[in-house]
Amino acid sequence: QVQLVESGGGSVQAGGSLRLSCAGSEPTVASRAMAWFRQAPGKEREFVAAIIWSSNIIYGDSVQGRFTISKNNAEKTVTLQMNSLKPEDTAVYYCAAGARISTYASDYNSWGQGTQVTVSS
């Protein structure tokens, strides 16, 4: 398993932006699918975005057009740029790594501890 550490969470007003980063512990992050999921209180974990190569990216319907995922293989990091944030984006955001790109949490076998994002109206 890959050790993952998220950073960049915080509080912002609706319409604002935040940038989340996830650092991996080993070079194999470059060849893995990396994803972001989120979980709000009382709700199931929700797929946000995933990337394996720069040309292979998928987004959840609720964030399409507002969030951008990118990967820096040299730095072993994956970034989630979140723009036009809404109160419903409030959740704990988790970084995950897996062997193949997918929208299912069960396809990812390494997870970070999560970082809180709070969007106020």
Side-chain angles (χ1 to χ4, degrees):
Q1 291 189 348
V2 178
Q3 289 186 329
L4 303 171
V5 178
E6 302 98 336
S7 62
S11 298
V12 66
Q13 289 191 328
S17 299
L18 281 175
R19 186 179 180 92
L20 305 183
S21 291
C22 173
S25 63
E26 58 184 62
T28 54
V29 164
S31 61
R32 290 177 178 265
M34 302 294 293
W36 289 94
F37 287 78
R38 66 187 182 186
Q39 189 164 18
K43 295 188 177 181
E44 294 185 354
R45 192 162 293 193
E46 177 189 14
F47 171 75
V48 176
I51 182 171
I52 185 164
W53 310 115
S54 60
S55 59
N56 194 348
I57 297 173
I58 50 177
Y59 292 99
D61 290 341
S62 62
V63 306
Q64 180 77 45
R66 299 188 298 121
F67 291 11
T68 302
I69 189 171
S70 59
K71 197 176 179 187
N72 187 320
N73 291 330
E75 296 183 359
K76 300 174 289 182
T77 59
V78 61
T79 298
L80 184 70
Q81 177 66 42
M82 306 185 295
N83 298 328
S84 302
L85 283 161
K86 304 175 182 180
E88 50 263 45
D89 293 318
T90 295
V92 176
Y93 283 70
Y94 297 91
C95 178
R100 66 187 186 97
I101 193 169
S102 168
T103 62
Y104 296 100
S106 58
D107 286 329
Y108 297 88
N109 59 3
S110 297
W111 291 83
Q113 293 299 308
T115 185
Q116 177 70 45
V117 171
T118 302
V119 184
S120 59
S121 57

